[in-house]
Amino acid sequence: MTKDLVVNLTVGASRDVAGPFAISLAEAFGAHVAAVAYSYEPVIPPTIMGGVPTAFVEQQREENDKAANDAVARFEEAAKRTGVSFETRILTASVAGASDMFGAIARRFDLAVIAQAEPEKVQPEELIVEGALFGSGRPVVVVPYIQKAPLKLDRVMVCWDASRNAARAVADAMPFLHKARAVDIVMVASERPKSDEIAGATIGQHLARHGLQVDVKRIVATETDVASTILSHAADSAADFIVMGGYGHSRLREFIWGGATRGILGAMTVPVLMSH
């Protein structure tokens, strides 16, 4: 059951996608939602330490406090309109510290909701997603920065590679799968199968025993990478929610070599539930 959510509000932006989406989740599941906004500590380049006027530091701190308060005010206004149970907190942390802090906070909730970091922009959301995935032991729902619609579960796409993380994601996503109108189990392979056997049939049988009707599909990634293949299939099948394991390797290894998780986080077009 999903009854207790935490959302990281985007601060310093004119529009936040994570807050409204978390509210729609709370409505769908009859859940409580806790919203966290960070007032980030002033960032002072090490090359000018000692040379920054105190007034400049205080001004930056005041601006960050205002951004956090504005984010909370927007969230509270939206939550009150819907009537969901909610609470809000403003915390102070460095950008790096916020990631670890949010991961620790998320351990006490059923899942965390975080906005996708906008491509080509330096934003704390990417670090916070990783902090929640690696530090919370809970699933994370990442919301595309272009998201406008509330939660929709007409077709849920489950990415299955028989890994531990994929198994964890399927288990964590059960409340979503039971609300979905259609569930596709999708496997990505580098070549076409040599027999008629579908490797994901057993996970399909497992979900069937939970009362779910699923379609098992095998798609081939030939000229594109796994992430692009997944997102292309999601668009072609009109999937509106994706479930997948997050980070099959360490953060450092995927940062250096790339990987499906980083590819999805960089180009996602629908909300994604990730588990590690």
Side-chain angles (χ1 to χ4, degrees), residues 18 23 26 32 38 43 50-51 55 66 76 85 103 121 125 161 164 184 190-191 223 242 250 255 262 270 273:
I23 291 171
H32 175 82
Y38 284 101
V43 177
K66 183 179 184 303
E76 290 180 343
S85 172
K121 288 188 177 182
E125 277 70 26
D161 61 1
R164 172 205 173 278
D184 293 336
S190 58
E191 60 183 17
E223 298 179 356
I242 295 175
S250 70
F255 178 79
R262 296 192 67 83
V270 298
L273 182 148

Side-chain angles (χ1 to χ4, degrees), residues 154-176:
D154 286 348
R155 182 171 297 277
V156 175
M157 176 178 162
V158 178
C159 302
W160 179 252
D161 61 1
S163 67
R164 172 205 173 278
N165 291 347
R168 181 71 262 168
V170 169
D172 289 337
M174 279 296 185
F176 294 83

Side-chain angles (χ1 to χ4, degrees), residues 15-232:
R15 180 173 175 267
D16 175 31
V17 298
F21 194 81
I23 291 171
S24 73
L25 276 171
E27 285 186 288
F29 292 106
H32 175 82
V33 56
V36 175
Y38 284 101
S39 174
Y40 293 105
E41 294 175 354
V43 177
I44 303 173
T47 54
I48 57 173
M49 285 293 289
V52 179
T54 303
F56 174 83
V57 176
E58 288 303 317
Q59 180 183 356
Q60 192 177 82
R61 183 173 284 113
E62 289 175 5
E63 290 174 354
N64 293 348
D65 286 345
K66 183 179 184 303
N69 278 285
D70 288 347
V72 164
R74 289 195 300 267
F75 174 85
E76 290 180 343
E77 182 181 354
K80 288 175 182 177
R81 285 199 302 267
T82 61
V84 300
S85 172
F86 73 93
E87 63 182 285
T88 57
R89 292 180 66 185
I90 295 176
L91 302 174
T92 301
S94 65
V95 172
S99 172
D100 293 336
M101 186 185 295
F102 190 79
I105 290 171
R107 295 170 194 164
R108 303 189 293 273
F109 294 85
D110 294 323
L111 63 83
V113 181
I114 306 167
Q116 173 200 24
E118 291 189 42
E120 310 301 328
K121 288 188 177 182
V122 178
Q123 292 183 297
E125 277 70 26
E126 184 172 1
L127 289 177
I128 291 176
V129 168
E130 294 184 355
L133 273 174
F134 281 86
S136 71
R138 300 293 191 173
V140 177
V141 173
V142 186
V143 187
Y145 75 93
I146 60 172
Q147 185 77 17
K148 294 181 179 179
L151 175 68
K152 186 179 179 184
L153 297 170
D154 286 348
R155 182 171 297 277
V156 175
M157 176 178 162
V158 178
C159 302
W160 179 252
D161 61 1
S163 67
R164 172 205 173 278
N165 291 347
R168 181 71 262 168
V170 169
D172 289 337
M174 279 296 185
F176 294 83
L177 301 183
H178 279 288
K179 283 186 174 292
R181 293 186 179 182
V183 178
D184 293 336
I185 306 293
V186 175
M187 294 164 296
V188 180
S190 58
E191 60 183 17
R192 298 201 174 276
K194 297 179 181 179
S195 69
D196 292 334
E197 181 182 356
I198 299 179
T202 52
I203 190 65
Q205 293 169 359
H206 167 68
L207 293 177
R209 294 186 183 105
H210 280 270
L212 297 171
Q213 291 186 343
V214 303
D215 288 328
V216 180
K217 301 178 180 180
R218 192 176 193 274
I219 58 178
V220 178
T222 52
E223 298 179 356
T224 58
D225 58 31
V226 172
S228 297
T229 301
I230 289 171
L231 293 175
S232 177

Side-chain angles (χ1 to χ4, degrees), residues 249 252-263:
H249 307 294
L252 179 60
R253 182 172 176 181
E254 288 225 6
F255 178 79
I256 294 172
W257 297 107
T261 305
R262 296 192 67 83

